[in-house]
Each structure stands twice: as structure tokens, then as C-alpha cells.
Amino acid sequence: TAQFGNGLSASISVEDPGFRRLSITDAPAAATVAAPAAGWQYGNVEVPDVVGNLRIDQAWGSAQVMGAYHQVRGVNHLTANTTQTTAEASGWAFGAGAKFNVPMLGKGDYVQAQFTYSKGALLYAGSGMNGGFAATNSDGTVNYSGPAFDAVATTAAGNLELTTAWSITGGFEHFWNTQWKTSLYGAYGEVSYNDAAAAVIRPATAAAGSSANWNFAQIGSRTTWTPVANLDLSLEAMYNRLDGAWATGTAQFGDKDWVSGIFRVQRNFYP
């Protein structure tokens, strides 16, 4: 990190790309969730992720722009294990975010927002892109409404088609007094595949021509009480909406709405 004065700084880092990988596939989405098929998968790491940002911190708040490079290196693990084919592509991401202090609404109050766009590097667009929207029904079938792959191999030679994802998040936190605070937040993310990739990952049970694209939205609120220093008691409620991939109205695919809540006790011992 370099400090240029007046709150302006720039950072660059090289990072383990394993923490920012989802998967590379050449199989239908539902089958891939159940068990990765022999075929195209991520290969060994050759190039680390390169991540950088330009940031400014002032009395009014802070803002930054950021970007990342992510190597997408696929290896075709053939069942016969005779030869292996590799294919590479360059994934990337960029984004911008800002935080604004709003003391006119309350001491310590602030609003913040961030936008991120990625191609072949979905996890830079948000952890909600991790393909976690899969569940096993009571009869053992897989309910899967959101395929999430960094790339799809459309031929035996590779032809890696990179997946596009973007997200926007925002939030506001209000301090009622020194012991009570409430936050309100929301997020929206979208994953998109081109026609060639969608044709490869479409499950056999999905309607022909139905879209592989999906999006996820949530809105929530949390109130925290701090009765003594370093002890937080909080209650949070959240509404979630998944506009799933493929055809709707079937037993396996469809849109989902759900609510969740959590009560949290957090004790900070340091600092």
C-alpha cells in the first residue's frame, strides 16, 4: 500500500486464487451439483490473482475503485486418464464503492454502497454467487435453481466460455444512542451465461430454450444492543428472493422466496 497524502492511497496484492474459484464444467448443472463429472475442471494454480485498488478517506467518508485479474485454467480429466487437455482464459473483475457519513441524521450514522462486475471470476461479485442454492429434497432429488460456474467448456478442446456476474449492495446504519443501533441493507446479484454455455449446462429435465441465467436479491435489518463495552446482542431479520434458472412450475426448478432470522451474542476480548 502506498500513501500519497490527503487520505489518498493505492494498494496492490497477489493472492491465492483458490479462495476465489468456483468451478469449470462441461456437464449439466444438476449433475454437477450431485457429483463433479469426469471432464473439465480447474487445473493447478499457475498464476496468482492480482488485486488492486485506489482509495480516498476524508472526513465526509471514503470511496474506492478496485480491480482484479483471475486466471481461469481448465484441465480435461479424461475417464481413461490417458491424456489431458488444458485451456486457459483471463477472468477479471472491477468495482467501485463509497461510504458517506451523515451525522445530520445521528452521530455516527453512515450510508454505503458498492457495485461489482466480473467475468470468469464470480466470487469477486459476491459470496452469494457461490452456487449454494442447491438442496436435496426428501425423495433424494436435487433442487437446483442457480448454476454457478466460472467457465463452461463447450468442446473437448476447451473453448472456455466465461460467466458474467454483477452485484450491487447498499446499507444504512443509525445510532439511536451509545447502546443501540439499527441497520437496514439490501443486495442484488445476477449471473448470466451465453447461449453456447447454457446449451452445455442445461439439465435434461429443464425445458428446451429456458434460460440458464438467474438472480438473487435480499433485504434485511439488524438491531444491536451494547449493554456494556465489547458485548453486542443483536436481532436480525432478512427476506430473500431467488429468481431461478431454467423453466418454472416444475418439481425440480422454480423461483424461491424465504425469510430468515438470527439472534447473535458477540463478546469482543481484543482490543
Side-chain angles (χ1 to χ4, degrees), residues 120-145:
L122 269 65
L123 286 183
Y124 282 99
S127 59
M129 307 302 181
N130 64 3
F133 304 114
T136 302
N137 297 326
S138 58
D139 60 359
T141 60
V142 175
N143 185 308
Y144 194 64
S145 298

Side-chain angles (χ1 to χ4, degrees), residues 13 28 32 35 48 66 80 91 131 133 152 166 176 184 197 210 227 230 238 266:
S13 65
T32 305
M66 55 274 192
F133 304 114
V152 178
W166 65 271
W176 302 98
L184 178 67
S210 58
N230 297 320
M238 185 188 305
Q266 178 174 321

Side-chain angles (χ1 to χ4, degrees), residues 101-186:
N101 298 322
V102 286
M104 69 287 296
L105 300 179
K107 185 178 179 180
D109 286 18
Y110 64 88
V111 294
Q112 60 184 16
Q114 179 172 303
F115 171 80
T116 309
Y117 185 95
S118 70
K119 195 171 184 66
L122 269 65
L123 286 183
Y124 282 99
S127 59
M129 307 302 181
N130 64 3
F133 304 114
T136 302
N137 297 326
S138 58
D139 60 359
T141 60
V142 175
N143 185 308
Y144 194 64
S145 298
F149 310 107
D150 284 337
V152 178
T154 57
T155 68
N159 251 17
L160 298 180
E161 299 288 348
L162 300 183
T163 307
T164 299
W166 65 271
S167 66
I168 185 168
T169 61
F172 165 65
E173 187 160 53
H174 173 65
F175 291 79
W176 302 98
N177 51 46
T178 57
Q179 291 187 319
W180 289 89
K181 61 182 179 181
T182 298
S183 62
L184 178 67
Y185 58 86

Side-chain angles (χ1 to χ4, degrees), residues 167-265:
S167 66
I168 185 168
T169 61
F172 165 65
E173 187 160 53
H174 173 65
F175 291 79
W176 302 98
N177 51 46
T178 57
Q179 291 187 319
W180 289 89
K181 61 182 179 181
T182 298
S183 62
L184 178 67
Y185 58 86
Y188 177 86
E190 187 169 297
V191 175
S192 303
Y193 297 88
N194 62 25
D195 291 342
V200 171
I201 63 176
R202 179 176 292 111
T205 51
S210 58
S211 177
N213 304 337
W214 57 275
N215 60 70
F216 175 64
Q218 59 184 191
I219 186 170
S221 180
R222 177 178 62 190
T223 294
T224 302
W225 176 40
T226 306
V228 295
N230 297 320
L231 176 63
D232 291 336
L233 308 177
S234 61
L235 183 63
E236 184 172 11
M238 185 188 305
Y239 166 76
N240 305 269
R241 165 72 176 175
L242 173 65
D243 186 356
W246 320 121
T248 60
T250 68
Q252 187 171 13
F253 308 110
D255 300 337
K256 305 288 187 295
D257 295 90
W258 69 96
V259 295
S260 59
I262 185 171
F263 174 69
R264 178 186 179 114
V265 179

